[in-house]
Amino acid sequence: MNYIILIFQSTHRTLLAEKVLLGHGIKFDIIPTPKEITSDCGMAIRINPSLTNKGMVISILNDSKIDFNLYEKWMQ
Amino acid sequence: MKVYLDNSATSWPKPPAVLDAMSTYINEYGASPGRSGHGFAVRAAREVFETRELIASLFNVESSERVIFSANATHAINIALKGLLKKGDHVIITHMEHNSVRRPLKYLKSIGLIDVTIADCCEKGYVDIDKLTSCFRENTKLVVTIHGSNVSGAVMPIDRIGQICKAKGVLYMVDAAQTAGFIPIDMQNDSIDILVFTGHKKLYGPPGIGGLCIRNGIHIDTLIHGGTGSRSELDVHPDFYPDRLEAGTPNTLGILGLKAGIQYIIAKGIDSIRERLGQQTAFLINALKGIDEITLYGPGTSENRLPLVSMNVKKISPSQLALTLDSEYGIMTRAGLHCSPLAHQTLSTLPQGTVRFSLGCFTTDKEIDYTINALKRIITS
Ligand SMILES: Cc1ncc(COP(=O)(O)O)c(C=O)c1O
């Protein structure tokens, strides 16, 4: 499946995003940052686009002023 | 009977939840936070994240990523002073400062980097606001004051000093080693730019953990460069917080103990802890006040003060009194200068210092009674 991968500047920001997204009832998981993407920090947020609306996630993070980079990646 | 009255040096005992949190980490998931993406590392990172959030809400820090962990207050003060001050800067401190502020500034002055002015305090240990205000110069970059004095127990009017600094466009740093967890601190309302705390005193965490909180927009250069788990492909240290000031594997064990300590005081109620300790301190002061041989230092019982009593007994040196209290009665106090010779200059207690009885939230009324009786017996014997 083609997943959405969100990468943040620091571990702190990743976990802040986790807290904010959980607060909005968003489903996602935390994975080790895939090597091909970048090594910004050790962990990344992975979203299954068939379960979660990408636009909604983007707008929640923007509203909370949490910067991120978004990638799409084929994963098993 | 063993009576521990040295809580201003470090609090003891600790709430049982502190050791529980630390042993759970060591036994069940002791990974390095933020260094990997596996389950244990994520759990550890979440705990560290939650601790920053807890501290940010405790002190009303704008951004929790600007809560930086260090080894203790001394380490945090050094990070701030040495990372902030540049050649030609002027710094104002008070006559009650601890050596953890005094010595790094003296060092920076001795290498020709900065100039320092010390504002006078009254004999109780309060800074004279007019004198402080008259110390400002064109090149004043920073004011550093203690919040609560480890020697006299006086509590400085940090909100007033914060206002003055803000009006003058000068940074204000508060050494809250003795007050964090005891007196409410609101960084934004009190106009504090940098707040320094230590984990092992009134936050009831273990030794080896402390930190600083930095207002948005202020930048501190790091003393230490190295691995942060972020931007690993680059050979330059990251400039974002908290990574900027936290190179190397953090003291997760201490952070988790600190988190449990803070949760303990919040559950117990910081105001109710302060009220109870205030009553016990007042009881102790009132009992000693009537004894001719005893000289008490610091503010009176009606004032906002720390739960400590600094005193001397006529014809007995502080070190002798502390030794007798310990060896004959099992009462553990601290004698001498308490790392604060400047403060003793203010109280006129140099060179011997004082004996300090400092209470913690596990101190019982019975222990206070026992201590009063022991002092009376020592004086009459
Ligand atoms: C007022 C004050 N500032 C700073 C410190 C230093 O704290 P730490 O020993 O945790 O570095 C202490 C206590 O030791 C203190 O009482």
Side-chain angles (χ1 to χ4, degrees), chain B residues 8 72-75 77 98 100 146 148 150 175 177-178 198 200-201:
Chain B
S8 294
N72 46 42
T74 305
H75 182 202
I77 290 165
H98 190 270
S100 55
I146 201 164
N150 54 313
D175 168 7
Q178 289 293 343
T198 200
H200 64 99
K201 297 185 198 268

Side-chain angles (χ1 to χ4, degrees), chain B residues 11-57:
Chain B
S11 56
W12 186 90
K14 305 295 181 187
V18 171
L19 192 58
D20 287 349
M22 294 168 75
S23 68
T24 303
Y25 170 71
I26 289 292
N27 290 323
E28 294 177 18
Y29 66 100
S32 192
R35 298 300 195 266
S36 327
H38 56 68
F40 284 5
V42 173
R43 183 170 169 196
R46 255 188 215 119
E47 290 284 348
V48 173
F49 169 79
E50 285 168 13
T51 310
R52 284 191 222 276
E53 291 259 303
L54 186 64
I55 292 170
S57 77

Side-chain angles (χ1 to χ4, degrees), chain B residues 15-312:
Chain B
V18 171
L19 192 58
D20 287 349
M22 294 168 75
S23 68
T24 303
Y25 170 71
I26 289 292
N27 290 323
E28 294 177 18
Y29 66 100
S32 192
R35 298 300 195 266
S36 327
H38 56 68
F40 284 5
V42 173
R43 183 170 169 196
R46 255 188 215 119
E47 290 284 348
V48 173
F49 169 79
E50 285 168 13
T51 310
R52 284 191 222 276
E53 291 259 303
L54 186 64
I55 292 170
S57 77
L58 184 64
F59 303 132
N60 195 19
V61 187
E62 265 174 287
S63 309
S64 58
E65 65 186 13
R66 284 168 163 267
V67 174
I68 307 298
F69 291 114
S70 64
N72 46 42
T74 305
H75 182 202
I77 290 165
N78 274 269
I79 290 172
L81 295 178
K82 292 173 183 166
L84 198 63
L85 297 172
K86 302 275 183 293
K87 189 163 177 61
D89 286 340
H90 173 242
V91 181
I92 301 170
I93 64 172
T94 79
H95 239 290
M96 293 307 285
E97 299 316 308
H98 190 270
N99 273 344
S100 55
V101 167
R102 177 73 181 124
R103 284 181 174 168
L105 288 174
K106 180 85 183 177
Y107 166 74
L108 294 174
K109 187 177 163 158
S110 76
I111 60 170
L113 203 69
I114 60 163
D115 212 354
V116 182
T117 306
I118 307 178
D120 281 340
C121 298
C122 73
E123 79 288 348
K124 284 181 181 175
Y126 295 112
V127 69
D128 181 325
I129 294 285
D130 290 338
K131 290 215 171 116
L132 180 95
T133 311
S134 71
C135 294
F136 281 84
R137 294 187 199 160
E138 215 73 322
N139 59 338
T140 304
K141 164 97 161 260
L142 177 73
V143 173
V144 187
T145 77
I146 201 164
H147 185 196
S149 167
N150 54 313
V151 176
S152 79
V155 177
M156 297 289 187
I158 54 169
D159 50 345
R160 271 185 77 194
I161 302 171
Q163 283 302 323
I164 293 167
C165 292
K166 196 175 174 184
K168 293 194 181 280
V170 166
L171 298 176
Y172 183 35
M173 172 164 137
V174 173
D175 168 7
Q178 289 293 343
T179 51
F182 186 71
I183 295 175
I185 298 171
D186 184 322
M187 263 187 93
Q188 296 182 62
N189 258 338
D190 298 339
S191 305
I192 299 168
D193 296 297
I194 299 166
L195 179 74
V196 169
F197 62 91
T198 200
H200 64 99
K201 297 185 198 268
K202 294 184 182 68
L203 296 170
Y204 291 90
I209 190 72
L212 67 161
C213 308
I214 308 163
R215 187 172 60 73
N216 287 2
I218 296 173
H219 283 296
I220 296 180
D221 291 334
T222 186
L223 299 179
I224 301 183
H225 305 81
T228 55
S230 51
R231 300 276 164 87
S232 296
E233 72 283 9
L234 300 182
D235 61 3
V236 290
H237 194 80
D239 63 357
F240 49 82
Y241 298 88
D243 303 30
R244 178 183 177 115
L245 295 176
E246 284 186 3
T249 302
N251 177 8
T252 310
L253 189 61
I255 293 169
L256 289 184
L258 174 61
K259 181 183 178 211
I262 295 174
Q263 286 171 331
Y264 174 84
I265 55 167
I266 289 174
K268 212 162 169 183
I270 290 174
D271 291 336
S272 66
I273 292 174
R274 192 172 62 259
E275 203 171 305
R276 176 152 182 279
L277 282 170
Q279 285 163 2
Q280 288 179 322
T281 307
F283 186 83
L284 179 56
I285 290 176
N286 288 331
L288 303 181
K289 217 160 54 181
I291 303 174
D292 281 347
E293 289 84 352
I294 290 181
T295 310
L296 294 169
Y297 304 94
T301 53
S302 60
E303 291 160 85
N304 189 18
R305 72 192 316 294
L306 294 183
L308 62 85
V309 180
S310 238
M311 52 97 84
N312 271 320

Side-chain angles (χ1 to χ4, degrees), chain A residues 9-13 15-16 18-19 30-32 38-43, chain B residues 34 37 42 45-46 49 52-53 64-65 229-233 240 242-243:
Chain A
Q9 185 182 57
S10 61
T11 300
H12 186 85
R13 291 245 174 121
L15 293 169
L16 186 62
E18 174 184 65
K19 181 182 131 181
I30 296 262
I31 59 163
T38 153
S39 68
D40 257 19
C41 96
M43 53 180 98
Chain B
V42 173
R46 255 188 215 119
F49 169 79
R52 284 191 222 276
E53 291 259 303
S64 58
E65 65 186 13
S230 51
R231 300 276 164 87
S232 296
E233 72 283 9
F240 49 82
D243 303 30

